[in-house]
Amino acid sequence: MNAYLTNADAPTDPLSIREREVLQLIAEGKNVKEIGGILGISAKTAESHRTNIMNKLDIHDLAGLVRYAIREGLVRIE
């Protein structure tokens, strides 16, 4: 019972692992073509991931995605 309650209280991440990878690369300044090359996916698939991320997070600009990635610890400010 305690394990169930503990898991129920934990915030769930709305993004998949792949979406988090794409978001990290976006925050690092990569474009969809570069992201595709790094992850071994097409630029169109990388763009689809970016669109899904924006929809899930209700963020509609790249600057907002970068701020989110920084808050979530996906990238560091150096």
Side-chain angles (χ1 to χ4, degrees):
M1 182 78 166
N2 287 336
Y4 174 77
L5 292 174
T6 302
N7 287 338
D9 292 339
T12 58
D13 188 353
L15 302 179
S16 69
I17 293 169
R18 179 62 94 183
E19 288 168 340
R20 288 181 71 79
E21 291 172 334
V22 170
L23 178 56
Q24 179 181 359
L25 292 170
I26 290 170
E28 291 174 0
K30 306 287 191 262
N31 64 39
V32 291
K33 187 174 180 181
E34 292 170 320
I35 292 169
I38 291 167
L39 298 179
I41 58 178
S42 71
K44 181 72 175 166
T45 300
E47 188 173 336
S48 293
H49 284 307
R50 184 184 67 196
T51 300
N52 290 339
I53 293 164
M54 290 177 142
N55 289 334
K56 284 181 177 183
L57 299 178
D58 196 28
I59 297 172
H60 302 290
D61 58 15
L62 291 179
L65 288 179
V66 172
R67 284 191 303 270
Y68 179 88
I70 292 168
R71 274 196 317 267
E72 293 296 310
L74 296 176
V75 292
R76 293 182 304 192
I77 300 174
E78 296 180 14

